[in-house]
């Protein structure tokens, strides 16, 4: 799943796709049917990239992407308006190591809401882009020959800047 550029904005419902960046913030487009656009000012709004969000775990934090992958394979995702016990049981299934004292019902509702927004989008089924890895030469090949360094032309040291004369006293 490729969630690069998908963010949650504090104080705004839903999820947003980062389109561009300007001097004051980011230009965002909502992922809902209206495709609303807004500029999120970095000094007032807090953005959280979905591919970097984690849930509190007992030993280690659990990546949201891992929870979404397990939700894909789950039999049925409960409704957001379901009672807290039903949500907790579902989260025990998809995130068995989550810390039940720190992950609140509101957090579970938010994750399920995000999942329902994303599951039908094409980017949800895309693979995340992987950075290209440099090729390593095989050991059977002959070793690389050392390259001789070209002579470096010597440059004169830079002259210090002249100081301005002191201001005259009246």
């Amino acid at each position: 799943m490729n969630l690069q550029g998908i963010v949650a904005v504090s104080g705004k419902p839903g999820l947003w796709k980062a389109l561009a960046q300007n001097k004051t913030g980011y230009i965002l487009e909502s992922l809902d049917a209206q495709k609303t656009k807004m500029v999120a000012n970095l000094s007032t709004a807090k953005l959280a990239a979905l591919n970097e969000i984690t849930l509190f775990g007992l030993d280690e934090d659990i990546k949201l992407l891992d929870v979404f992958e397990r939700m894909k394979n789950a039999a049925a995702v409960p409704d957001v308006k379901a009672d807290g016990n039903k949500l907790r049981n579902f989260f025990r299934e998809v995130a068995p190591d989550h810390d039940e004292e720190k992950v609140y019902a509101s957090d579970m509702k938010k994750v399920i809401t995000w999942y329902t927004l994303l599951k039908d989008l094409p980017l949800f089924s895309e693979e995340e882009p992987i950075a290209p890895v440099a090729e390593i030469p095989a050991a059977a090949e002959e070793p690389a020959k050392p390259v001789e360094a070209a002579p470096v032309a010597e440059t004169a040291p830079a002259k210090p800047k002249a100081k301005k004369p002191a201001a005259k006293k009246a």
Side-chain angles (χ1 to χ4, degrees), residues 1 3 7-8 21 28 34 40-41 49 55 70 81 86 88 104 114 118 121 125-126 131 133 156 161-162 164:
M1 124 182 25
L3 298 181
V7 296
Q21 182 178 4
L28 305 174
Q34 287 121 6
N41 190 338
L55 296 174
R70 291 187 196 123
K81 296 181 181 181
K86 197 171 195 178
R88 182 66 66 190
Y104 301 115
W114 290 347
L118 292 171
L121 297 177
S125 57
E126 281 179 16
V133 179
K161 291 184 177 179
K164 291 183 180 179

Side-chain angles (χ1 to χ4, degrees), residues 69-145:
E69 285 293 333
R70 291 187 196 123
M71 288 174 84
K72 253 196 233 185
N73 300 329
V77 178
D79 187 38
V80 177
K81 296 181 181 181
D83 69 331
N85 292 330
K86 197 171 195 178
L87 293 175
R88 182 66 66 190
N89 289 333
F90 176 71
F91 259 72
R92 286 182 183 131
E93 178 186 330
V94 295
D97 297 342
H98 77 279
D99 190 342
E100 294 189 15
E101 293 178 6
K102 293 181 182 176
V103 179
Y104 301 115
S106 60
D107 300 329
M108 294 183 280
K109 288 178 181 182
K110 190 180 295 187
V111 169
I112 291 172
T113 302
W114 290 347
Y115 176 77
T116 55
L117 277 172
L118 292 171
K119 70 179 180 180
D120 298 327
L121 297 177
L123 58 90
F124 196 66
S125 57
E126 281 179 16
E127 288 298 316
E128 190 165 345
I130 299 172
V133 179
E135 291 184 20
I136 301 171
E141 295 177 10
E142 61 183 74
K145 296 178 183 175

Side-chain angles (χ1 to χ4, degrees), residues 31-50:
L31 291 180
D32 59 5
Q34 287 121 6
K35 300 290 183 197
T36 310
K37 291 187 177 155
M38 78 167 186
V39 176
N41 190 338
L42 290 178
S43 64
T44 58
K46 292 181 183 175
L47 303 177
L50 250 57

